[in-house]
């Protein structure tokens, strides 16, 4: 295939645009924050499960404390009632029975209050654990929100950049012969498509051409489209090709 040297050099611009378009597409579909956002989603789910467990434990302790408070209140009511009955009693036998019951109630109230203090301590620990877990969850959520916002901004920027690059590519390809562009497109499916030959090295695959292949390229007319024997991309010859 023949093509003007100018058209062949234009392929380098097209190849560069294709590379940048591919980069923009990767940035659009796979933003840099995606991996960390995925990690944070899993971390947040674990933290939510732990928070649910801690909240359940705290609520159970609260229920236990309310029960003890209710039991203490009942004992106090009975002690007050028996104390009033003792004060009004005129029977020594009844008075003795009431005194015995009051002593028993006092021991019961003391045991309940001791248990109440123990449960209050457990409740304080449970509430502290819930608060700490909520703080961890808030930190994870904040990081995820910030990264998601940045990812959306990056995706939007990459989308705009890709659209602009596509417009630039359309303008450049309009100046290239159709058959040359078709050949470039075919080869670009498996290689760089087109690359500069620099000091005997293909910039597409970074391979130094064997001397026999380099001699073939050296003898080829400027209009002849030559290709890399290693990667198959179109070799664009310039003053830096090392052919002289």
């Amino acid at each position: 295939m023949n093509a003007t040297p100018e058209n062949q050099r234009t392929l380098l611009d097209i190849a560069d645009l294709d590379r940048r378009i591919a980069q923009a597409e990767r940035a659009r579909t796979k933003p840099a924050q995606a991996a960390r956002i995925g990690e944070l989603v899993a971390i947040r789910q674990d933290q939510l499960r732990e928070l649910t467990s801690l909240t359940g434990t705290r609520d159970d302790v609260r229920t236990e404390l309310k029960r003890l408070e209710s039991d203490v209140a009942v004992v106090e009511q009975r002690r007050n009632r028996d104390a009033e009955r003792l004060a009004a009693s005129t029977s020594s036998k009844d008075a003795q029975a009431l005194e015995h019951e009051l002593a028993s109630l006092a021991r019961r109230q003391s045991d309940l209050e001791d248990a109440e203090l123990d449960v209050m301590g457990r409740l304080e620990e449970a509430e502290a654990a819930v608060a700490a877990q909520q703080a961890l969850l808030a930190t994870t959520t904040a990081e995820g929100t910030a990264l998601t916002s940045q990812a959306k901004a990056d995706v939007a920027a990459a989308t705009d950049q890709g659209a602009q690059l596509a417009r630039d590519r359309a303008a450049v390809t309009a100046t290239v012969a159709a058959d040359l562009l078709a050949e470039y497109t075919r080869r670009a499916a498996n290689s760089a498509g087109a690359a500069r030959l620099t000091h005997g090295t293909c910039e597409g695959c970074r391979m130094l051409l064997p001397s026999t292949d380099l001699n073939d390229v050296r003898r080829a007319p400027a209009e002849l489209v030559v290709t890399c024997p290693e990667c198959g991309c179109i070799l664009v010859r310039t003053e830096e090709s090392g052919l002289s």
Side-chain angles (χ1 to χ4, degrees):
M1 174 184 292
N2 289 333
T4 65
E6 291 77 12
N7 261 198
Q8 293 185 46
R9 284 192 290 271
T10 301
L11 292 180
L12 295 176
D13 296 331
I14 296 174
D16 181 63
L17 284 167
D18 284 344
R19 178 185 59 80
R20 293 165 61 193
I21 288 172
Q23 289 177 340
E25 182 62 14
R26 285 193 296 271
R28 186 187 71 82
T29 57
K30 297 179 179 179
Q33 302 84 356
R36 179 56 179 167
I37 290 174
E39 291 176 358
L40 289 172
V41 168
I43 291 172
R44 190 173 187 276
Q45 289 174 342
D46 289 341
Q47 290 176 339
L48 279 171
R49 282 192 289 268
E50 180 65 14
L51 179 59
T52 298
S53 175
L54 291 172
T55 300
T57 299
R58 180 203 62 188
D59 291 345
D60 289 345
V61 176
R62 283 179 175 176
T63 299
E64 185 178 357
L65 180 59
K66 286 182 180 179
R67 180 182 59 78
L68 286 170
E69 290 172 343
S70 177
D71 290 347
V72 170
V74 170
V75 170
E76 287 180 344
Q77 290 174 357
R78 290 183 61 184
R79 287 186 65 187
N80 292 336
R81 183 195 63 189
D82 287 352
E84 291 175 355
R85 290 174 61 191
L86 178 61
S89 177
T90 57
S91 169
S92 59
K93 183 178 180 180
D94 290 345
Q96 186 177 11
L98 287 169
E99 287 174 351
H100 179 75
E101 185 174 349
L102 282 168
S104 177
L105 288 171
R107 289 193 297 272
R108 174 61 176 161
Q109 182 173 351
S110 177
D111 290 343
L112 287 171
E113 289 175 343
D114 287 345
E116 191 177 20
L117 287 174
D118 177 68
V119 172
M120 289 174 67
R122 287 163 49 202
L123 179 58
E124 184 177 353
E125 292 176 356
E127 289 177 336
V130 169
Q133 190 66 18
Q134 287 174 331
L136 283 176
L137 183 61
T139 299
T140 300
T141 300
E143 183 181 355
T145 299
L147 286 176
T148 299
S149 177
Q150 184 59 54
K152 288 180 179 179
D154 290 351
V155 167
T159 300
D160 291 343
Q161 182 183 33
Q164 181 58 56
L165 289 170
R167 290 191 291 269
D168 293 344
R169 186 185 192 280
V172 174
T173 55
T175 67
V176 176
D179 57 345
L180 178 62
L181 182 60
E183 182 66 11
Y184 162 81
T185 302
R186 185 179 69 82
R187 292 180 178 276
N190 299 302
S191 69
R196 182 179 283 104
L197 177 64
T198 304
H199 302 300
T201 297
C202 170
E203 293 297 324
C205 60
R206 302 293 178 181
M207 295 294 293
L208 180 65
L209 269 65
S211 58
T212 53
D213 292 318
L214 194 59
N215 285 333
D216 289 341
V217 173
R218 184 177 289 111
R219 289 192 294 267
E223 291 76 15
L224 181 65
V225 175
V226 296
T227 59
C228 173
E230 297 295 334
C231 67
C233 75
I234 296 172
L235 288 175
V236 178
R237 290 161 285 177
T238 69
E239 292 80 4
E240 298 178 350
S241 293
L243 299 176
S244 58

